[in-house]
Every structure is written in C-alpha cells, then in structure tokens.
Amino acid sequence: MSTSSDADAAADADADAGLDAIVGERGHLTNLAYRLLGSLAEAEDAVQETYARWYAMPSRKREAVESPGAWLTTVAGRICLDLLGSARARRERYVGEWVPEPLPDRTEWIGGAAVGGGTRPVDPADRVTLDESVNMAFLVVLESMTPAERVAFILHDVFRYPFAEIARIVGRTPAACRQLAASARRRVSAAQVPTAATPGQAPLVRHFKEAWEARDIKALVGLLAPDATMIADGGGLVGAALRPVEGGARIAEYLIQIADRAPGLKLLERSVNGRPGLVAQHTGVTVTVAAFELADDRVTRIWAVRNPEKLGPWVADEQN
C-alpha cells in the first residue's frame, strides 16, 4: 500500500529528472548559439536568457510543454536571430576588423584566472564541440550571411533540424527557409572553405612559429603565400592593424615589428577552433590568439585576435 510519503518521493524524483533534462540541454544550446553568433560571451548570454524565459513561465505552462528541448532550441534560435540583427549595427561601429571569438581545445579550456583577472567556472556543458563548423574560415563566411540565412543554414546543415521546425524559429515558411539555407550554402561554396583540416598544418604552423621566434623574415616569407592576408582584431582596446595586411612580405615585416616591440614574447602551439594555431603570451598573459588557413603548403590567411574581451577562454600557461 503506497503512502503519501512514497507519492511525494516519486513526485520529487520526477521533478529531479525533469530538471536534469532541462539542464542537460545547456551544452546543445551553447554549441548552437556560438555557431550562430561567433561569440562565446554572446552565446552564453543567449543561453542564460533562454533559461530565464523558461523559468519565468508559470509551472503549469512548463508542465504543458511536450518537448522542453525543442522549446529551448526555438527560443534560443529566436534570441540569436534578434542578436544577429543588432550585431550588424554594432559591428559597423567596431574599431578595426571584427573576427569571431577563438576557442581553445577542451583540454585548454580555462578553469582559473582569465585575461584581465576575471574567472570562469569549469562547466563541461559550456564547452563547444570543435568540428568543421567552428573552424575560423567557416565562421568568417557565416558573417557574410543575413541573420535568417545563417540561422536556417546552421540549424539545417549543421544540426539537421527539419525546415518545418526552422520555419517556426525564423518566422517564414518551410519553403522560404529551404531557399535561405540554399543561398547560405552557395556562399560557403563560393568562399571555398576547407571542409577538412589541411594535412601537414601542424608542422607548417610549427615552422612558422620557429621562424617568427628567430625573427627570420626570409623564412616567414617562404611560409606565406605571396597573396596571403592577415586580419587583426584589437577592438580598439589594444594595438592592432585597423585594416587587413596583404601580401606575404608585408605580413612577415609586420610580425617582425611586433616581436621587436614586445621583448620576451612567448609563442605556444595550440588548437584554435579545432585547427593548429598559435598563442602569443607576454609576461605570462595571453595577448594574441592566431588561427591559420593553409593551401598548397603555404599560409594563405591569418586571423589574429588581440581584443582581450575575446580571450577569456584561454589559459595563461607559463609552464609550457
């Protein structure tokens, strides 16, 4: 014979299971929001707002939601869509070039002091899965899309959501969402974004590091494609080239000047958005994270993120 205490215990167990299911969606939402926004900080804000809206609902309405995961994804998608619209206006006022926020490998995720003295708690649910949809070249192409194109493309081509569900997020018909995704796909194809890591990228980045450390301008020029481009993002907070540096020789000269102005600059080989990259530290603090694109055994593009507001997830590792 069941007792009221048994019933209460069962109810509590159901409530705990429901809470676990809701909290368990956080990793998925963070992965989605980062790909949509290109900023971990903005992605975290979007996920936090999504949960705030969930818990702001009366309990009876939450209980009536058949699929909490679908509800959370829909709301997060709409929040990101709104943020993408406002981001365009913000980036028109951005000082210099804007580059997506770089991400470290899971093993390099910050768990203590961050750049600027802040802290970030270790939470596996916050970690973004590193795959081809977060390599820097791919994220940069996403920036050229309209907000609706980006949402439709990421949800369908990366997360495999059906267009009927995407339509509810974007506020358009499934057929229109299909067209949006197709348009976005053409942008990716036209940009010739590598779909897989370039063989030999790690050794080439290592040679690049060694040449930079040695201030060997001839070696740097030999590793850079003649028409290579470097884009630096300082956000107006630190020194950085306000326009792209074009040409292998000019990039090599620029890098040597940086090394000369920062004695003791330390370069570390690190995974940047799932690809081999470099982290520059000065007096033990991470000051630059560089992502690379390669073709024909040469560096064709460098994205150098120097904005300290974008370097929070990186460990200032003085031991390696």
Side-chain angles (χ1 to χ4, degrees):
M1 181 176 181
S2 63
T3 65
S4 58
S5 60
D6 291 337
D8 290 342
D12 289 343
D14 289 342
D16 290 343
L19 178 61
D20 289 344
I22 294 297
V23 173
E25 293 292 328
R26 186 176 177 182
H28 164 72
L29 297 175
T30 303
N31 272 276
L32 173 63
Y34 174 75
R35 287 163 173 79
L36 290 177
L37 301 172
S39 164
L40 184 60
E42 291 183 1
E44 290 173 338
D45 288 344
V47 172
Q48 183 174 346
E49 175 62 20
T50 300
Y51 277 105
R53 294 187 187 185
W54 170 261
Y55 287 112
M57 286 196 302
S59 57
R60 66 179 185 279
K61 287 191 175 182
R62 292 200 301 269
E63 292 167 0
V65 175
E66 293 184 5
S67 175
W71 188 96
L72 292 167
T73 297
T74 297
V75 172
R78 289 172 179 167
I79 291 172
C80 290
L81 185 62
D82 291 341
L83 288 173
L84 284 170
S86 61
R88 290 199 158 194
R90 292 198 308 276
R91 287 170 193 168
E92 287 177 0
R93 301 189 298 270
Y94 196 81
V95 178
E97 298 289 327
W98 189 94
V99 176
E101 184 176 334
L103 291 178
D105 189 272
R106 288 172 180 266
T107 58
E108 296 157 10
W109 201 263
I110 195 161
V115 173
T119 59
R120 295 170 67 96
V122 174
D123 187 344
D126 287 336
R127 293 172 173 161
V128 176
T129 303
L130 300 176
D131 58 25
E132 298 311 316
S133 65
V134 296
N135 81 68
M136 194 61 75
F138 187 82
L139 290 176
V140 168
V141 174
L142 293 179
E143 287 297 311
S144 69
M145 301 178 183
T146 67
E149 282 178 339
R150 187 165 181 166
V151 172
F153 176 71
I154 291 297
L155 282 170
H156 182 266
D157 284 43
V158 177
F159 289 92
R160 303 303 178 187
Y161 277 80
F163 287 114
E165 292 185 23
I166 298 171
R168 290 195 290 270
I169 296 173
V170 179
R172 306 194 187 189
T173 65
C177 291
R178 187 182 299 275
Q179 291 178 345
L180 288 169
S183 175
R185 214 173 289 125
R186 287 193 293 271
R187 291 180 188 265
V188 173
S189 178
Q192 299 181 328
V193 178
T195 57
T198 304
Q201 180 159 348
L204 197 153
V205 170
R206 182 173 299 117
H207 294 326
F208 192 93
K209 167 183 174 289
E210 293 167 351
W212 192 2
E213 289 174 329
R215 292 172 171 74
D216 188 338
I217 192 167
K218 182 178 180 180
L220 283 172
V221 171
L223 294 167
L224 288 155
D227 58 350
T229 300
M230 186 182 78
I231 298 174
D233 178 347
L237 301 176
V238 296
L242 296 179
R243 294 179 178 82
V245 181
E246 298 181 341
R250 290 189 61 198
I251 294 172
E253 292 172 359
Y254 182 83
L255 292 173
I256 296 300
Q257 290 173 7
I258 290 175
D260 288 340
R261 289 199 300 265
L265 190 69
K266 184 177 182 179
L267 300 177
L268 305 172
E269 296 174 49
R270 292 290 185 265
S271 171
V272 181
N273 287 63
R275 302 283 180 86
L278 292 178
V279 169
Q281 293 179 355
H282 192 243
T283 63
V285 177
T286 296
V287 293
T288 303
V289 173
F292 294 80
E293 181 177 280
L294 277 59
D296 300 324
D297 297 323
R298 296 283 184 91
V299 174
T300 57
R301 195 172 295 269
I302 303 172
W303 294 278
V305 180
R306 304 201 67 234
N307 184 342
E309 293 182 348
K310 296 184 177 182
L311 300 180
W314 295 84
V315 177
D317 181 0
E318 298 183 59
Q319 303 302 318
N320 296 319

